Amino acid sequence: MLVLAPFITALAIAQPAPEQIKAVWDYYQKGQGKGAILADAVLCKTVEQKAADTKFECAEPLGESAPKDTLVNVWVAFLVPKGDTVESVVVQALLDGQVRETKDLKLKGETNRTRTWTAFSLKKAGKWEFRVMDKDKVLKSLSITAN
């Protein structure tokens, strides 16, 4: 069964249509001024800093709960048009529905996949929500319970 694992993993990754690839390339090359597009967001315990193949990837995702005082990295990946800098994206940390902290993200279109993260401490027990926002629009909401 171990011999089949790489093959099964390869099958799980969908091959995009040529039109999808062209749309991404066009946006990266010619989408200046249109803003960043969120591709992924994950709550992580650890972000890889050294290994070349996985550098700046979420190395250890968090589950639905974590102990109080855990450091949570809100890891995000965006498509930012080439040469653009986007400074309108923030991450808000809410505890039991109340905004506790907001952090700015500075996204630069230096590669076709801009990855960054910002860290928050689960200082108190309760339901934490992390909102990735662009201006007033919530792009993604992630939750974890601190106990």
Side-chain angles (χ1 to χ4, degrees), residues 3-76:
V3 176
L4 294 176
F7 180 71
I8 292 169
T9 302
L11 288 177
I13 299 171
Q15 183 176 14
E19 299 80 23
Q20 293 172 309
I21 298 299
K22 184 170 181 341
V24 170
W25 286 346
D26 287 349
Y27 193 83
Y28 178 70
Q29 293 294 330
K30 303 171 189 167
Q32 290 76 15
K34 295 185 178 185
I37 299 172
L38 179 65
D40 199 7
V42 180
L43 297 180
C44 297
K45 185 171 185 176
T46 310
V47 176
E48 179 60 51
Q49 299 290 316
K50 296 179 183 175
D53 289 349
T54 56
K55 192 169 186 177
F56 306 138
E57 293 293 337
C58 176
E60 192 177 353
L62 285 165
E64 295 178 6
S65 64
K68 183 175 86 83
D69 294 322
T70 297
L71 188 67
V72 174
N73 294 292
V74 180
W75 178 93
V76 293

Side-chain angles (χ1 to χ4, degrees), residues 61-119:
L62 285 165
E64 295 178 6
S65 64
K68 183 175 86 83
D69 294 322
T70 297
L71 188 67
V72 174
N73 294 292
V74 180
W75 178 93
V76 293
F78 280 88
L79 174 61
V80 180
K82 185 178 181 179
D84 266 7
T85 299
V86 176
E87 297 185 27
S88 58
V89 177
V90 301
V91 178
Q92 278 188 342
L94 297 86
L95 174 60
D96 296 325
Q98 180 183 15
V99 176
R100 306 291 292 188
E101 192 173 358
T102 301
K103 293 187 178 182
D104 297 328
L105 298 180
K106 186 173 184 176
L107 307 170
K108 293 183 178 184
E110 295 172 339
T111 66
N112 63 358
R113 187 167 69 127
T114 301
R115 295 164 293 170
T116 191
W117 61 94
T118 188

Side-chain angles (χ1 to χ4, degrees), residues 121-139:
S121 178
L122 302 178
K123 297 175 187 173
K124 295 183 177 184
K127 182 175 177 176
W128 286 85
E129 177 186 3
F130 298 93
R131 293 180 184 164
V132 181
M133 303 178 67
D134 191 352
K135 299 178 181 132
D136 292 334
K137 182 180 179 186
V138 177
L139 304 176

